[in-house]
Amino acid sequence: MKKKVSAAAVTVAAVALVLVASAAEASHGHLKVGYYEKTCPGVEKVVKYHVAKAIEASRGSGAALVRLIFHDCFVRGCDASVLLDPTPANPATEKTAPINIGLAGFDVIDAIKADLESRCPGTVSCADIVVYAARDASSLLSNGHVHFPAPAGRLDGAVSLAADAQRDLPDSTFTVAELIRNFRRKNFTVEELVILSGAHAVGVGHCSSLRARLAAPPQQIVPAYRSLLAAKCGAGPDPVVPNNVRDEDPKAVAAAFPSFVKKLRKAKDFLDNSYYHNNLARIVTFNSDWQLLTEKEALGHVKEYAENGTLWDEDFSDALVKLSKLPMPPHSKGEIRKHCRFVNGHHY
Ligand code: HEM
Ligand SMILES: *[C@@H]1O[C@H](CO)[C@@H](O)[C@H](O)[C@H]1NC(C)=O
Ligand SMILES: *[C@@H]1O[C@H](CO)[C@@H](O)[C@H](O)[C@H]1NC(C)=O
């Protein structure tokens, strides 16, 4: 339907464009700790309240939030593009990409956003919520050992394409050379690749993400662990298994991997340097994890972080801050979304 456009409407539209443009400009390199101190006091307490509540209900939701910052920031920078739901106009947003299998935590982000919108409408970006939530989740899952002040002031992007996620995110089938190249493209070093991979101490993966491991030779995966995974993966079309063997179900471990029973933990999804111990012992889920042992520098860092958990806590904190600073592509438009799943002006 064609409408007659009034002069007033044109003026309003022009003003709105200027506002969007200046807001987008402000997004470059102006991240600041305590960014919402004046405009939305208490914002970080609100986020932490919701993250703590979600983790109390299920520690797995904490793991989901730690993965979410990576999958948001590696694709078009930290702009909450990963949160956008598919619509008829854009049916293939990032979250529909196969590489984003199992991505979760969206409900926690929605709850935080709803709370913040009622306190300070139109003020806190979804991109900043993703970063705060990942910070709080890693802190809570590590009993406070991972902690850092999180700079904020990001804007939410309007573009979200599954093809971008597929191109920019690493796949579990990658070789170490491919992993290094993938991280290099985002200005992350081999050391940072190793540091960030330690996040696989928590959470779960689908069997389809580790299929090749079920046929990998003993130098790559302990046969008893491989049998355990094979048994669990045979139990359904595409079940999930814990990333960290110490979070495994005791019955399955007793049956396939009895020597490991004593290492099982009651507290699941504890974020520490156990990933590096597991990796050196060839008991990790993904090919991409094992691959880190096949390159000299990466292997050196795996050993370094296996030896010093405090060092990993600190370096992981720093690496998350660096991740949180990945910018949107130049000249991107930004806004503060009203609802994290839709760009503003979207008609429901
Ligand atoms: C180095 C390259 C990486 C590869 C190839 C990779 C791959 C994967 C895969 C395949 C899954 C399981 C998805 C599924 O099947 O459901 C997964 C889960 C996970 N990843 Fe990564 N990942 C990488 C790096 C990272 C980084 C940098 C982080 C965060 C700093 C991270 C955090 C997580 C977490 C927390 C989970 C569990 C999520 C949950 O339980 O909901 N990963 N990753
Ligand atoms: C990586 O660093 C280069 C050089 O400083 C910069 O031009 C580029 O935008 C950076 N890439 C990302 C993804 O930040
Ligand atoms: C482990 O790392 C911490 C933090 O960098 C450092 O202070 C400590 O000296 C290291 N411990 C050992 C045994 O190297």
Side-chain angles (χ1 to χ4, degrees), residues 44-63:
E44 295 187 46
K45 283 202 184 101
V46 172
V47 174
K48 189 166 181 185
Y49 165 81
H50 286 280
V51 174
K53 198 169 84 165
I55 287 177
E56 261 163 52
S58 154
R59 290 179 67 85
S61 65

Side-chain angles (χ1 to χ4, degrees), residues 185-187 326-327:
R185 270 205 299 261
K186 303 287 172 183
N187 292 338
L326 280 171

Side-chain angles (χ1 to χ4, degrees), residues 308 310-311 314:
N308 193 335
T310 311
L311 182 66
E314 289 174 2

Side-chain angles (χ1 to χ4, degrees), residues 128-141:
D128 283 339
I129 293 173
V130 167
V131 171
Y132 284 144
R135 186 268 307 266
D136 294 338
S138 28
S139 174
L140 289 161
L141 292 182

Side-chain angles (χ1 to χ4, degrees), residues 28 31 95 116 129 133 149 153 178 180 187 190 192 201 219 226 252 259 271 275 284 322 324-325 327 339 343:
H28 287 287
L31 300 180
K95 60 166 68 159
L116 291 175
I129 293 173
E178 289 171 319
I180 290 172
N187 292 338
V190 175
E192 288 162 338
Q219 313 89 273
R226 190 181 58 199
S259 66
L271 185 61
Y275 168 83
V284 282
K322 177 167 171 183
S324 83
K325 289 180 176 168
H339 190 303
V343 297

Side-chain angles (χ1 to χ4, degrees), residues 330-347:
H331 315 301
S332 305
K333 270 196 218 158
E335 62 182 9
I336 309 284
R337 270 181 223 152
K338 293 191 182 68
H339 190 303
C340 291
R341 292 174 187 264
F342 300 100
V343 297
N344 294 342
H346 168 81
H347 299 287

